[in-house]
Amino acid sequence: IHFVTRIMMSVASPFRARPAPARATSRHAMRVSAESGSIRRQVLSRSDRAKLNLGDDRTFYASPRMCTHVDDAFLGQLTTLYRQKIPPGGSVFDMCSSWISHLPEEVVYEKVVGHGMNAEELAKNGRLDSFFVKNLNMEEIKFAAEDKSFDAVTCCVSVQYLQKPEEVFAEVFRVLKPGGVFIVSFSNRMFYEKAVSGWRDGTGYSRSQLVKVRVAFPKSGDTARFT
């Protein structure tokens, strides 16, 4: 499932707290106002954030994994989506990245900055111009980037491991330019013991709704609409 959010300078109608009915598609696009950076409400309860493996995430990800966690068909569709939604020459932030970013090889970007949990994996990623390692579950959720500095932020098959997704998504909106795009992709595969309970015990529909609601409430007073 690929979830696409586009940041707009203004919108036409308010998004209500009750989720809108799901449409018969696996791809969702939603527009929200440009100013972000604070949290309107908590989406997950304390129990929803729990993991079965309570060990330090840095230890779990210490050994590099030079593999892909979804099949080639999924990755092909994801690359196509990136080609369609991320402008050539734009600046890209690949959050929760690894040794490959799945960006289209033929497209040139101004810069691609990566974030992840394993420096060796990130160093192998030829699309990254720079990268940093940060544990978003334990360390301060602050990216070393100016406000409205990226045209696109991507998060590939990793959203299920975030224990503070509201804070992470608020930070994403801080660094996205107006008109920028946030692409979250996920499947039913995961490191089960490291996924949060609210995701681990859910269904495909409930997981897509979780991502949708997290994005819908980045800041009090914001409005949004689905397109």
Side-chain angles (χ1 to χ4, degrees):
I1 296 177
H2 308 138
F3 182 90
V4 184
T5 304
R6 185 168 296 278
I7 310 306
M8 306 300 292
M9 289 301 295
S10 62
V11 295
S13 60
F15 178 81
R16 294 175 175 81
R18 179 171 297 179
R23 292 182 289 176
T25 177
S26 62
R27 187 175 299 167
H28 307 279
M30 186 182 69
R31 297 179 177 180
V32 300
S33 65
E35 292 190 13
S36 304
S38 61
I39 299 166
R40 178 170 180 177
R41 67 177 177 86
Q42 298 295 323
V43 175
L44 297 180
S45 67
R46 178 176 296 182
S47 62
D48 285 337
R49 302 174 199 274
K51 297 184 177 186
L52 296 176
N53 184 336
L54 301 180
D56 192 327
D57 288 342
R58 292 171 295 186
T59 301
F60 184 82
Y61 294 106
S63 297
R65 296 177 173 90
M66 306 299 181
C67 62
T68 55
H69 302 285
V70 288
D71 58 39
D72 291 343
F74 179 103
L75 295 176
Q77 292 180 25
L78 182 61
T79 298
T80 297
L81 183 65
Y82 288 167
R83 185 180 293 111
Q84 294 170 345
K85 298 296 183 180
I86 303 176
S91 54
V92 181
F93 176 43
D94 189 12
M95 184 176 70
C96 303
S97 185
S98 181
W99 67 281
I100 187 169
S101 292
H102 310 296
L103 294 165
E105 294 181 0
E106 78 280 4
V107 179
V108 177
Y109 302 101
E110 177 186 0
K111 65 177 178 179
V112 181
V113 178
H115 151 266
M117 289 288 289
N118 186 286
E120 187 174 344
E121 291 177 1
L122 295 168
K124 289 283 187 179
N125 191 332
R127 291 310 303 262
L128 301 182
D129 297 297
S130 62
F131 66 82
F132 63 95
V133 176
K134 181 184 280 285
N135 183 348
L136 297 177
N137 290 332
M138 295 295 295
E139 300 177 52
E140 179 187 15
I141 300 175
K142 183 75 172 179
F143 303 140
E146 297 180 359
D147 294 357
K148 304 176 184 177
S149 56
F150 288 102
D151 296 286
V153 176
T154 62
C155 181
C156 177
V157 296
S158 296
V159 67
Q160 61 267 29
Y161 307 120
L162 298 176
Q163 290 181 287
K164 295 181 285 185
E166 302 92 345
E167 294 180 42
V168 174
F169 279 37
E171 182 68 357
V172 166
F173 281 112
R174 182 187 69 79
V175 303
L176 267 175
K177 297 178 182 178
V181 63
F182 181 25
I183 302 176
V184 180
S185 59
F186 53 90
S187 77
N188 60 355
R189 301 180 185 180
M190 68 190 88
F191 293 123
Y192 191 79
E193 70 274 26
K194 279 297 183 180
V196 298
S197 173
W199 187 279
R200 187 179 65 242
D201 300 332
T203 64
Y205 174 78
S206 69
R207 291 164 184 165
S208 65
Q209 293 302 304
L210 270 179
V211 175
K212 187 186 299 184
V213 172
R214 290 170 187 173
V215 175
F217 298 106
K219 182 178 178 181
S220 179
D222 276 353
T223 57
R225 69 184 180 192
F226 288 93
T227 60

